């Protein structure tokens, strides 16, 4: 079983993504927690058993790239998937440098989510 932490500052996007994962039919994944900021997610990661972090990149505060850097330093085997509403090459470059497993542009489709989860 893979435990997922979803991080997204927009409540409607978070709810939609959570619904897509839960209805994907991939039963080996469960969302154990959500967070609205990178800082909140980082605090939760320290006390939870998480296998996958799916996070927005641009959020108020430190943002998803900061979160991914912290994860890579402290939990190098954790799977990281980036979400962004912006198709900016700089973000993609930073994700590659950090070692993110995938980068999705929002809105993310159910098929994208299912395909990625099945490939892990």
């Amino acid at each position: 079983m893979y435990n997922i932490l979803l991080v997204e500052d927009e409540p409607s996007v978070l709810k939609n993504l959570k619904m897509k994962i839960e209805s994907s039919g991939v039963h080996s994944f469960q969302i154990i927690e959500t967070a609205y900021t990178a800082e909140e997610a980082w605090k939760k990661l320290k006390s939870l058993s998480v296998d996958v972090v799916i996070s927005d990149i641009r959020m108020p505060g430190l943002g998803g790239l900061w979160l991914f850097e912290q994860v890579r330093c402290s939990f190098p085997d954790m799977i990281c998937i980036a979400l962004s509403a912006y198709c900016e090459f700089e973000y993609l470059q930073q994700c590659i440098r950090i070692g993110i497993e995938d980068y999705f542009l929002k809105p993310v489709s159910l098929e994208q989510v299912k395909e990625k989860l099945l490939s892990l």
Side-chain angles (χ1 to χ4, degrees), residues 4 12 19 23-24 33-34 40-41 48 50-51 56-57 65 76 80 84-86 88 92 101 103 105 107 115-116 119:
I4 299 174
S12 62
M19 181 198 67
S23 67
S24 70
E33 192 61 77
T34 61
E40 178 188 2
L48 296 171
V50 174
D51 303 297
D56 189 9
I57 291 177
L65 292 173
C80 297
S84 182
Y86 305 94
E88 294 183 19
L92 185 55
E101 277 74 19
Y103 181 99
L105 290 175
E115 183 179 317
K116 185 61 194 179
S119 75

Side-chain angles (χ1 to χ4, degrees), residues 6 8-18 83 106:
L6 289 179
E8 170 61 59
D9 62 315
E10 294 181 42
S12 62
V13 174
L14 181 67
K15 181 181 176 184
N16 188 288
L17 184 57
K18 185 177 182 202
L83 304 174
K106 293 190 266 181

Side-chain angles (χ1 to χ4, degrees), residues 49-60:
S49 176
V50 174
D51 303 297
V52 181
V53 175
I54 301 175
S55 179
D56 189 9
I57 291 177
R58 286 177 76 170
M59 296 180 285

Side-chain angles (χ1 to χ4, degrees), residues 56-72:
D56 189 9
I57 291 177
R58 286 177 76 170
M59 296 180 285
L62 295 172
L65 292 173
W66 174 85
L67 175 62
F68 291 137
E69 288 175 344
Q70 304 312 304
V71 168
R72 280 292 168 249

